[in-house]
Amino acid sequence: MRNIILIGFMGTGKSSVGKFLAKRLGAELLDSDAAVEAREKRKISEIFEKDGESGFRRIEKDVLAELLARPNAVITTGGGAVIDADNRRAMRASGIVVSFSASPEMILERIGKTKHRPLLNRGDRLAEIRRLLDERRAYYDDCDIKIETDGMTPFEVSEIVMEALKQKGLL
Ligand code: S3P
């Protein structure tokens, strides 16, 4: 099986859908945020605080390259992993890139008041979500399969991904 790589903004459901997909495909589930925290032995919010966003991005790039080199996996990525062109190339080379989208309002609702999204812990969250979405839109569009997830449960989204993979002859 080629790797399945899930991309998309925070709160679009990558991690929850990834769990269903990995189970369904009998594949290993690899998560870049979790792998960053495991390697660093500190939380993403601490990395942002101490090393800034650029420090986090350097670690994320390194960790992601390692995960993408492994076979037969569903790989969930941090929402900003697509910003880096090398990351995007590595994702395309590693497997099938599936992109999730959602409206800014839905994203805000799903993220709630979580503290582990340091990028959204300042000012007007909805405005910040909109700004980042605009900035990253082209990167999220660079994919094999795109799925709009508003109002859907993670299980429903995973079923749609399975169907799209079958239709495209990718399974
Ligand atoms: C980020 C998304 C987060 C995490 C970090 C930065 C982003 O991952 O990597 O807080 O830049 O969008 P999730 O998309 O899993 O929340």
Side-chain angles (χ1 to χ4, degrees):
M1 186 194 100
R2 294 177 70 200
N3 286 334
I4 313 280
I5 300 113
L6 306 186
I7 65 168
F9 201 77
M10 296 170 250
T12 52
K14 292 161 292 181
S15 303
S16 1
V17 177
K19 282 179 195 145
F20 283 112
L21 278 177
K23 210 171 197 179
R24 184 79 184 266
L25 294 162
E28 195 179 358
L29 179 64
L30 305 172
D31 178 80
S32 75
D33 285 340
V36 165
E37 292 190 337
R39 181 203 275 199
E40 290 292 304
K41 297 189 178 61
R42 45 187 184 147
K43 294 275 161 209
I44 286 174
S45 52
E46 290 170 48
I47 302 174
F48 266 78
E49 255 170 51
K50 277 225 168 122
D51 307 344
E53 182 176 349
S54 59
F56 170 75
R57 297 288 173 218
R58 272 194 297 276
I59 304 164
E60 179 181 54
K61 184 171 183 167
D62 220 43
V63 163
L64 193 62
E66 259 178 49
L67 300 185
L68 292 169
R70 289 164 56 177
N72 302 318
V74 172
I75 302 170
T76 55
T77 63
V82 294
I83 298 169
D84 184 280
D86 295 333
N87 288 353
R88 295 199 299 276
R89 270 192 293 275
M91 290 184 211
R92 299 307 291 257
S94 165
I96 304 147
V97 178
V98 182
S99 180
F100 295 162
S101 66
S103 65
E105 292 77 12
M106 185 93 245
I107 288 170
L108 184 66
E109 196 182 307
R110 286 188 186 148
I111 287 175
K113 290 181 171 40
T114 54
K115 281 253 160 46
H116 66 275
R117 264 94 177 210
L119 283 181
L120 297 178
N121 282 343
R122 51 192 179 212
D124 179 345
R125 282 186 134 195
L126 193 58
E128 193 55 16
I129 291 169
R130 288 208 172 95
R131 192 187 68 73
L132 287 170
L133 277 174
D134 282 345
E135 208 173 86
R136 298 174 178 180
R137 199 170 312 278
Y139 306 144
Y140 293 136
D141 284 347
D142 182 9
C143 62
D144 299 296
I145 295 168
K146 191 167 179 185
I147 296 166
E148 160 63 52
T149 68
D150 268 28
M152 283 200 282
T153 65
F155 177 73
E156 287 167 342
V157 177
S158 73
E159 290 290 299
I160 292 173
V161 175
M162 289 300 295
E163 204 44 51
L165 291 170
K166 278 181 208 154
Q167 263 180 24
K168 288 180 173 262
L170 294 170
L171 279 186

